[in-house]
Amino acid sequence: MPTKIEDVARRAGVSTATVSRVLSGKPYVSDELRQRVLGAVNTLNYRPSRVARSLRVQRSSIIGLIVSDIQNPFFTAVVRAIEDTAYQNKFSVFLCNSDEDVGKETMYLDLMLAEHVAGVIISPTAGMNDAYRRLVEERVPAVAIDRRITNVAIDSVLVDNVGAARQLVTHLIEQGHSRIGAVLGTPASSTGEERLRGYLDALHAHGLPVEQDLIRTGMPRILEGHAMMRELLQLPKPPTAVFTGNALLTIGALRAIHSSGLRFPDDIAMAAFDEMDWMFFVKPALTVVAQPTYDLGRLAVELLLKRMDEPDRPIEEVVLAAHVHYRESSKWRVPNANGANHQKEG
Amino acid sequence: MPTKIEDVARRAGVSTATVSRVLSGKPYVSDELRQRVLGAVNTLNYRPSRVARSLRVQRSSIIGLIVSDIQNPFFTAVVRAIEDTAYQNKFSVFLCNSDEDVGKETMYLDLMLAEHVAGVIISPTAGMNDAYRRLVEERVPAVAIDRRITNVAIDSVLVDNVGAARQLVTHLIEQGHSRIGAVLGTPASSTGEERLRGYLDALHAHGLPVEQDLIRTGMPRILEGHAMMRELLQLPKPPTAVFTGNALLTIGALRAIHSSGLRFPDDIAMAAFDEMDWMFFVKPALTVVAQPTYDLGRLAVELLLKRMDEPDRPIEEVVLAAHVHYRESSKWRVPNANGANHQKEG
DNA sequence: AACAAAATTGTAATCGTTTTCACACTGTCT
DNA sequence: AGACAGTGTGAAAACGATTACAATTTTGTT
């Protein structure tokens, strides 16, 4: 029932080759035939089958996008940017949610290969996965976003996590804290690992001891963030400040703090990763590092397009800076009787 | 370079037909050949081209999903449910973001038709669009979610917006309010229209006058919500309560209220659509109607699957109830000198 | 006018599957 | 022995586009 190129050709009294040429804007078609073809296309309301086209030309105009958590506002912002940029370049996006599950991620990557997507953008769930290797073996253009792939070298656009975390924690230290809790994503992902490293860097630089009890890692989700924060608060000697490593963990931690009736910065100081829409409502205002979500997404697409054009260009790794917003939640803290609080000037 | 079915056939010493039969679990293949084929598939690491398959069988195992705003947490929750359910049924999801733009929506629908998706789930930007008609003309299984399509009859899964809005506004009235502002999405979408209708119903039922000045509609986004709420607050005689019609509008309205230094429920009462992750933090707690997001998504996929099996079954329209959480933001209000406040018992 | 080069057009092969059809080989039942 | 119903297998025809190649016409150059 769907009209095919042959129907159009018949109606316009030309060959399918000509129709194809007209439709793909190729040269060497007389104006007269072009008009006839266009007319036929119009009256028949013909839309070429992308499937057939993909089969023939061995690539599609679809960008496969795999994010690790579609409910994380950080990723939806990035998705938004990717979608916009892809759209501007006549590509469309095939989005999947790996849900931080390596099995699901592998399955979706396989699907995309089988589907002959033009390229893949992925926020990897783990540093390595054989499926990533297959990607480069089959020479499918691919870009990693947000997290690093250690398995194999591919283009990536990342954020300076170490630097941002170090800044945030340094700031807490300068505000007089020495026992700083960390609620982080699993170190299996580069973001988790790097944000932890930034935290440790800051402690070391100020000669502060590292207390393993104060460092919690887990799946970067609200529930886990809540649990980790509660554990920290139930410690015999709880931290006087906390650093949270992602939007969802921050929500969870806020919930835990909130339900124990504590308030920052006086009961506990806080500095978090990721700015969110509704944060204006958190009082006192939360010190956060805002990640360049839109640029991240835009650059990922641009890198992907570049690699499609030049498959053999050298691997490129873009690292974006994040911007810290210093606000009240981490303000100078009056030392209280609560614990040993090595006061430093800020 | 990618291995094709022919390579497998050659290596196993059989015909491509046999390979295909083995791979799709068809009967009439001897155990011996089956083993040989499976072995060859394994050593060659063969993955059949979905594109070729789609072309041949004239359908894919992809569900196309078009949402009107990927940054709206209501939709991401629904997307999550759709993804999960699709995955369980061996379908994968091709997600696009129409961004409340009819042009973009049309373009994506066309793309999906051209891509021969197995079915389409869509949250329509407007009540009618010729592209919807094409969907049924070409007999592509389709389900509308959240919003109604008036153009043409298709399966849909909706929420009882009129009822939920009526409940919310009735509650405000019972708490003593008679001048209730409304910050709603554009009435071009059924959600906007129905939530407005619920609001009006409640007013009429209590014999309260409708003041056009108190009713604001616009794009359901944060910016617009903020602007509409600010306009309401700047009215010579501002409302004593406000009803917001969607998650993003609620955030915008909250921001406007927050920045004018007002507090609910005393300065202004509030009741909103959509529960969000972080709302525990809003104090006093916000009265909201929680939509059944997960069920919405799950049912959409189930309806779609049913229609794939039985293309001629009667159109089904599922309407889900939403659940109101009564909290402090709308509590009984001490009448003040501010305006004519027809007191009713609550 | 003669010839080369460029512009138009069509024929048919191709992309990688699935599936129809034909054929061959079993048994089983008259 | 012949007919018949399964089984098991492969050859080849789809599916709907693109494009290499060839054939033809037009244009440009001497």
Side-chain angles (χ1 to χ4, degrees), chain B residues 260-302:
Chain B
S260 20
L262 299 178
R263 286 187 59 84
F264 38 68
D266 291 334
D267 298 326
I268 189 163
M270 187 160 177
F273 246 83
D274 290 327
E275 175 104 284
M276 287 173 274
D277 282 340
W278 44 268
M279 282 202 164
F280 65 87
F281 215 92
V282 177
K283 279 175 306 192
L286 208 55
T287 293
V288 298
V289 10
Q291 298 196 71
T293 49
Y294 204 91
D295 284 343
L296 196 66
R298 185 177 48 78
L299 286 168
V301 175
E302 288 171 0

Side-chain angles (χ1 to χ4, degrees), chain A residues 57-77:
Chain A
V57 303
Q58 295 293 64
R59 63 193 189 84
S60 66
S61 60
I62 297 176
I63 292 176
L65 172 58
I66 304 183
V67 298
S68 40
D69 186 353
I70 186 68
Q71 291 196 82
N72 181 335
F74 166 76
F75 284 121
T76 55

